[in-house]
Amino acid sequence: VQLVESGGGLAQAGESLRLSCVVSGSTFSNNDMAWYRQAPGEQRELIATITGSGSTDYKAFVKGRFTISRDNAKNTVYLHMASLAPEDTAVYYCNLGRMIGQYYYADYWGQGTQVTVSS
């Protein structure tokens, strides 16, 4: 299984970015997917999940600003980030895992893509 992220870069506060993650080596439409991020000196944290059936969930600190979506025809999961703030600066990681009940279990990682937000 391979996950390749793209779409990171430099943004100013208030701007938007869209991250993409292309998955290969797996039956994508069956997979639960997630986005994580890791800021310098911090632990990696879960941002949002999307199940194979398209159900989504978000952590409170991004709810209303970030949107996770998927295109099964393109084997791609997206993270649209709006109203970016400097505290959103981090390396963003795509993950293929399993949603069991209310918990998400991470299995495969992408290499990460840097997002830097200036004030």
Side-chain angles (χ1 to χ4, degrees):
V1 177
Q2 187 174 18
L3 292 76
V4 180
E5 301 102 331
S6 61
L10 180 63
Q12 292 192 335
E15 292 185 339
S16 299
L17 283 175
R18 189 181 76 163
L19 306 182
S20 301
C21 173
V22 179
V23 179
S24 59
S26 180
T27 306
F28 179 75
S29 61
N30 294 342
N31 296 140
D32 300 327
M33 302 292 301
W35 284 96
Y36 287 72
R37 71 184 183 186
Q38 186 169 19
E42 302 290 333
Q43 289 189 338
R44 194 171 298 187
E45 60 183 356
L46 179 64
I47 299 170
T49 59
I50 184 166
T51 66
S53 60
S55 297
T56 60
D57 191 34
Y58 300 90
K59 293 300 183 184
F61 56 86
V62 300
K63 193 172 289 187
R65 297 192 301 127
F66 290 10
T67 303
I68 189 170
S69 61
R70 65 192 298 155
D71 185 337
N72 289 339
K74 296 182 178 180
N75 284 9
T76 301
V77 62
Y78 302 98
L79 184 69
H80 185 266
M81 306 182 293
S83 302
L84 284 165
E87 51 265 36
D88 294 317
T89 295
V91 178
Y92 283 72
Y93 295 91
C94 176
N95 183 272
L96 185 157
R98 295 160 290 140
M99 182 68 74
I100 301 176
Q102 62 180 318
Y103 298 103
Y104 181 83
Y105 295 86
D107 289 330
Y108 299 95
W109 296 97
Q111 83 285 355
T113 186
Q114 176 71 46
V115 172
T116 303
V117 184
S118 62
S119 58

